[in-house]
Each structure stands twice: as C-alpha cells, then as structure tokens.
C-alpha cells in the first residue's frame, strides 16, 4: 500500500488485513458472510467501491483509486487424522491456523489459534503443531497440504474480499476520462476472468481430493447447514464492529453495510437465475 500511495509503483494489489486502519474501507469485504461465491463477492465489491463516494474518498485519503478486486474464495477446514471438524463443538480445543476475522471467530468458538505464515502450515500440520487449517481449495494444491491432512470439511465460509487492485491517485488524475474508463472496464473484465479460473480450479481440486488424483484420497465432507449457520451467527459482532469503526471514521457505516448486502443479494440472485456470464 505504501509503495502505491507514494508513487513508487503506479498500481498494485493491497490487502486490508495488512493495513486495517488505512484500508478500513476495503475491510468491509473481510467480514465472513454466507456469500462465498467469488463472482458474487467480487462483483458486489466492484460496484460498492466504484460508486460509494465515502469509500472512494477513504481510499483517496491514502492517495489510492480502486480498480478491481480479488477473492480468496470460501474458507474450508483441512484437518489431520482424528481432528475432523463437522460441528461447532468440534472446534473447541483444536489447534487451528486461520486469518484475520476468521481467526477471531474460531477463537470465540473455542479454537486454540496458532499464528504462523502460510509457508509454515505444511510443517505445522505434519509435526502436529496444527490440528486444522482454515484454507481454500487453491491453496491445498499450491501448498500440497493434502499430503499431511486426512479430511477436508467444505464450509464455504465467507471469503476475503478486502483484496484489491489500486492505482496511485496522481497517476490516475493524469489519465483522461476515456483512459480512466478503459482502466475500470479492464478491472471489471478481470473479475469475471479471475472468478472463472478460481471457481473451476476449486471444483477440480475437490474432485482430485475425493478420487485420489493427488496420490491419496482425502474425503471432502460438506458441513451441515445448521452447523454452518452457527459459525455465521458467531460472526455478527464483527459486522457490528466494522459498522461502529466506520462511523467513528466519519463514514455512514449502517448505510454502506446495507448497500453492500443489497449488492451481494442482487448478484447471488442473478447467479441463481442465470448462471455465470461465461456460461452463456
């Protein structure tokens, strides 16, 4: 963030979890919700961040202009032998690594949280330092954690959306109106492209875990709706915290949150009615 703000780079990717105060505007996307579809989440964030004047100004205070969004996709639970999580009760006492608000919620539910970088999780699982990992299907392939876990629970819990592509405000202002429109159109196009890639990859990884393509079978079990809802309910206080902190910054927290939820619902409805745009 500092590099783009200072103009050392014209544009780059930023994560609100790395700069939670400066990027409070983006932090709205990191509150775990029921909407775990990457296309739904990224489209909602794009609309919100390119139309809400208060959020645009909040980024502008850091000399940043929003262009596009990434998503981690939904959080799943990878666990070692004998530690499978299928209920909220199963979380209690488990040594778990997760990120940001997800880590806070799991701690609230009785998890024993372990702080480590993602590069250390393979060894942590293999050595027994970790019982479970809050992760994503694409990281299971990338970090080969399927070699050291025995089960995956499909939770589809939220997604990290405070993960944006931003441009230096002064570089942006040097572009004419037509060029600015081109940059935003490219940002919008990228969301559909990236969503297609990550959704298809998640399906491929899940199939590979179930059928042993990775060299062993790691069964993927979907958590029950009732237990998933308990986890979602435990997140509500962090929604309230974001709204309160946004209000403290002079933003209209409740109004922005309501708009965000409306956008998520709108895109979820579009998905259920018409499918993904690349399927047409």
């Amino acid at each position: 963030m500092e590099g783009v703000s200072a103009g050392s780079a014209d544009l780059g990717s930023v994560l609100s979890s790395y700069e939670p105060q400066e990027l409070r505007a983006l932090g709205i996307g990191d509150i775990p919700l029921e909407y775990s579809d990457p296309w739904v989440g990224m489209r909602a964030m794009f609309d919100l961040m390119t139309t809400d004047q208060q959020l645009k100004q909040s980024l502008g205070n850091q000399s940043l202009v929003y262009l596009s969004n990434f998503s981690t996709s939904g959080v799943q639970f990878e666990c070692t032998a004998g530690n499978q999580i299928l209920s909220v009760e199963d979380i209690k006492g488990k040594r778990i690594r997760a990120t940001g608000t997800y880590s806070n919620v799991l701690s609230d539910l009785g998890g024993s949280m372990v702080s480590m970088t993602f590069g250390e999780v393979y060894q942590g699982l293999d050595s027994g330092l970790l019982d479970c990992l809050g992760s994503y299907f694409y990281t299971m392939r990338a970090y080969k954690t399927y070699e050291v876990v025995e089960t995956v629970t499909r939770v589809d819990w939220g997604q990290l959306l405070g993960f944006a592509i931003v441009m230096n405000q002064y570089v942006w202002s040097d572009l004419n109106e037509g060029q600015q429109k081109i940059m935003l159109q490219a940002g919008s196009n990228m969301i559909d492209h990236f969503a297609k890639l990550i959704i298809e990859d998640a399906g491929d990884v899940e199939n590979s875990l179930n059928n042993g393509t990775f060299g062993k079978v790691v069964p993927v079990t979907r958590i029950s709706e009732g237990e998933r809802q308990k986890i979602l309910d435990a997140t509500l206080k962090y929604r309230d915290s974001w709204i309160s902190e946004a209000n403290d910054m002079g933003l209209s927290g409740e109004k922005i949150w309501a708009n965000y939820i409306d956008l998520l619902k709108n895109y979820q409805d579009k998905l259920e009615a018409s499918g993904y745009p690349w399927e047409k």
Side-chain angles (χ1 to χ4, degrees), residues 86-156:
L86 291 174
S87 69
V88 166
E89 189 66 27
D90 293 337
I91 294 170
K92 294 179 180 178
K94 294 287 194 304
R95 293 166 294 183
I96 307 172
R97 190 271 184 192
T99 303
T101 305
Y102 297 83
S103 179
N104 295 336
V105 174
L106 291 170
S107 178
D108 293 344
L109 293 173
S112 177
M113 306 314 296
V114 181
S115 178
M116 63 175 61
T117 67
F118 221 102
E120 298 171 309
V121 297
Y122 184 103
Q123 184 175 357
L125 291 163
D126 192 36
S127 67
L129 183 61
L130 289 178
D131 298 320
C132 296
L133 172 67
S135 66
Y136 319 98
F137 281 119
Y138 74 90
T139 60
M140 297 176 200
R141 187 202 301 271
Y143 289 88
K144 298 184 178 182
T145 48
Y146 53 79
E147 295 179 347
V148 288
V149 300
E150 294 300 320
T151 61
V152 171
T153 301
R154 181 154 193 168
V155 189
D156 289 338

Side-chain angles (χ1 to χ4, degrees), residues 16-48:
S16 65
S17 57
Y18 290 176
E19 308 283 352
Q21 296 305 316
E22 295 86 347
L23 296 177
R24 176 64 58 192
L26 278 177
I28 192 171
D30 286 348
I31 308 301
L33 298 171
E34 63 188 278
Y35 302 96
S36 63
D37 184 90
W39 181 78
V40 169
M42 289 189 289
R43 290 252 65 101
M45 281 293 287
F46 183 86
D47 285 6
L48 183 71

Side-chain angles (χ1 to χ4, degrees), residues 193-207:
H193 178 69
F194 180 73
K196 181 176 185 289
L197 292 176
I198 198 169
I199 290 167
E200 290 179 350
D201 185 67
D204 183 60
V205 171
E206 181 176 17
N207 290 336

